[in-house]
Amino acid sequence: MTVTVKSLKQLGEWGIALLPSKKWFFWQRSLLVKLMLINLLVIAIVIWLAGVSVKDFACLLNKQYQVIGGVPSNLFDRPLQFYLIRASVLAVIVAGILYYFLVRKLTLPLQYLGTSAQKMARGEFLPCRPISSKDEVGRLISDFNYLSTKLQQTEKLRKKVVSDIAHELRTPLTNLTGYLEALNTGVIQGNPELYRSLHEEALHLTGLVEELHQLNIWESKRLGWNELQTIPVENILVSTLKIFELEFHQRHLNVESNIQAANILGNKEGLKQVITNLLKNVLKYDRGGWVKIEGEIENSFYKVVVTNWGQPIPEDKADQVFERFYRLDSSRNRKTGGVGLGLAIVKEIIDQHRGAVGLISREDEHSFWFTVPLANGQEEN
């Protein structure tokens, strides 16, 4: 019996035809069954090929011996066929058992992964059971657990943002509604002080909506490198300082600036927004009557630092001030600050410039800083 390419092709087609069809439920639902059947098919083909080769070789030897010694062929063929069949059956059984346990060890983590994914769809962000393996399945589960953690953080942030927005809107809207109803029914009479108070509430709502709008705009922009232009950073800093010149004069704030000239890669409007928000922060919280603005080249970045004497900031809260709606005043009294979005906008814009933001506090002296990349590989001499 001769094994040809054509016969191998036909055997493969027969093997595929023998595999369970799509109508078989367990074939559709179980990866273990698929791998088991495919493996058994491969083993059967290998054993069949090996058996055919051994039998053909044995038959050839038998013919030669028959010519020499006259040994009957049936005394040789039947035992050979019996042992080949027995060896084939034992090989399939042993291989099937070993393969079952090995493949089950592979598919079990995937079952854990599927269960965790179903829980995630229901809003339960629980990590999948980790495994010690570092192969593709191990890396997949590790990536899934990282994704689950990030989604859990995002969900907590979303709930916090919704809660904070509701809190910020509830008080002014309640005040406006109550006073307008009272004015409409004649319970109270209007006066300049009342109108001024209502106007402040309306301004607070307008400011909140505008900051939310600005944050949404920058989150949706996602600046690419091709959108960053070469800009003289000193022009942006000086022009923005001039806008606040009158307010600083009215508040008797002494302004000191030390700005090094340099070209940076950035978005002009975005960087103006960053400086504006930091200077507004100074006006809200200043207690020392002075502010210092510094700008200098630091390695391949340009670093801007805004320093003033302000409200105490605990050391462990330094990183949280850049979070959305974060306020040092837990009572969220509007007389002691804004809505907590100004620094979040600063961080979002600087992140899109591939820079960094931070805060250095020395008792009540605070230095808010940010970095942006220099243009044309310009570095400090």
Side-chain angles (χ1 to χ4, degrees):
M1 181 177 182
T2 304
V3 180
T4 64
V5 175
K6 184 176 180 180
S7 63
L8 286 176
K9 183 178 179 182
Q10 291 177 346
L11 183 63
E13 292 175 352
W14 295 339
I16 294 174
L18 289 173
L19 289 176
S21 65
K22 293 183 179 180
K23 295 181 181 180
W24 289 27
F25 178 78
F26 64 89
W27 172 256
Q28 290 180 311
R29 298 297 297 272
S30 177
L31 177 63
L32 177 61
V33 172
K34 293 179 183 179
L35 293 175
M36 285 283 297
L37 291 175
I38 292 173
N39 182 65
L40 290 176
L41 175 63
V42 172
I43 292 174
I45 293 174
V46 171
I47 292 175
W48 179 79
L49 291 174
V52 168
S53 301
V54 171
K55 185 176 181 181
D56 287 346
F57 181 68
C59 290
L60 178 62
L61 291 177
N62 182 40
K63 288 180 181 180
Q64 293 178 353
Y65 284 125
Q66 187 175 6
V67 172
I68 298 173
V71 180
S73 61
N74 59 347
L75 295 178
F76 183 81
D77 292 343
R78 288 180 181 178
L80 177 63
Q81 187 174 6
F82 170 76
Y83 284 113
L84 284 176
I85 293 174
R86 188 179 69 174
S88 300
V89 172
L90 289 175
V92 170
I93 293 175
V94 173
I97 293 174
L98 292 175
Y99 196 75
Y100 171 80
F101 288 104
L102 292 175
V103 173
R104 180 167 177 78
K105 186 177 181 180
L106 173 66
T107 58
L108 197 59
L110 297 179
Q111 293 177 3
Y112 296 151
L113 190 64
T115 303
S116 299
Q118 293 174 1
K119 292 181 179 179
M120 182 183 292
R122 297 194 298 266
E124 302 176 20
F125 299 99
L126 300 177
C128 180
R129 184 183 301 179
I131 61 175
S132 58
S133 174
K134 301 298 181 182
D135 57 9
E136 290 82 356
V137 176
R139 290 196 297 271
L140 176 62
I141 291 179
S142 178
D143 292 340
F144 177 87
N145 290 340
Y146 176 75
L147 174 63
S148 176
T149 302
K150 298 299 290 184
L151 288 176
Q152 187 175 19
Q153 293 174 353
T154 302
E155 181 65 13
K156 288 181 178 179
L157 178 60
R158 183 190 66 81
K159 291 179 179 179
K160 182 178 182 299
V161 168
V162 171
S163 175
D164 289 337
I165 291 176
H167 184 278
E168 291 292 340
L169 293 175
R170 185 185 300 114
T171 301
L173 285 175
T174 301
N175 291 340
L176 285 172
T177 303
Y179 279 116
L180 290 175
E181 286 180 355
L183 288 171
N184 184 51
T185 56
V187 175
I188 60 175
Q189 298 298 320
N191 56 69
E193 184 178 354
L194 175 59
Y195 294 140
R196 184 168 55 253
S197 175
L198 294 177
H199 182 247
E200 289 177 357
E201 297 290 355
L203 288 177
H204 176 72
L205 286 174
T206 303
L208 172 60
V209 173
E210 179 61 26
E211 289 192 331
L212 284 171
H213 178 62
Q214 288 294 329
L215 184 59
N216 181 63
I217 287 176
W218 284 104
E219 284 182 335
S220 60
K221 271 191 176 181
R222 294 298 166 194
L223 295 173
W225 279 111
N226 57 336
E227 298 178 81
L228 300 179
Q229 302 174 343
T230 301
I231 305 171
V233 66
E234 66 276 9
N235 292 350
I236 296 177
L237 294 174
V238 172
S239 61
T240 308
L241 279 172
K242 286 183 178 179
I243 296 174
F244 286 84
E245 204 170 58
L246 180 59
E247 289 187 76
F248 287 150
H249 178 72
Q250 292 174 346
R251 294 281 299 272
H252 305 289
L253 277 171
N254 182 34
V255 181
E256 179 184 346
S257 60
N258 182 16
I259 300 171
Q260 182 180 356
N263 290 329
I264 61 170
L265 285 175
N267 178 277
K268 187 175 181 180
E269 297 302 320
L271 293 175
K272 279 187 174 181
Q273 182 73 54
V274 168
I275 301 298
T276 298
N277 286 7
L278 292 178
L279 294 178
K280 283 183 177 179
N281 220 43
V282 170
L283 291 171
K284 286 178 184 176
Y285 301 107
D286 180 72
R287 293 183 177 181
W290 60 271
V291 60
K292 181 190 297 183
I293 297 92
E294 299 172 288
E296 62 180 358
I297 296 175
E298 190 175 274
N299 297 325
S300 59
F301 289 86
Y302 190 88
K303 185 175 184 179
V304 178
V305 184
V306 178
T307 306
N308 77 310
W309 190 272
Q311 178 182 342
I313 301 177
E315 186 176 350
D316 59 336
K317 304 294 184 182
D319 293 334
Q320 299 182 35
V321 296
F322 293 96
E323 295 180 4
R324 301 171 190 179
F325 292 101
Y326 180 78
R327 294 273 302 277
L328 289 171
D329 181 11
S330 58
S331 66
R332 305 188 72 85
N333 184 354
R334 275 177 286 154
K335 292 182 180 180
T336 62
V339 296
L341 285 175
L343 293 178
I345 295 173
V346 168
K347 186 177 187 303
E348 179 64 31
I349 295 174
I350 296 302
D351 284 347
Q352 294 198 30
H353 281 75
R354 285 72 172 176
V357 297
L359 168 63
I360 300 174
S361 294
R362 295 175 291 273
E363 295 183 351
D364 292 345
E365 181 180 302
H366 311 301
S367 297
F368 288 88
W369 60 268
F370 68 87
T371 60
V372 287
L374 292 170
N376 303 323
Q378 180 182 4
E379 294 187 6
E380 185 179 7
N381 296 326

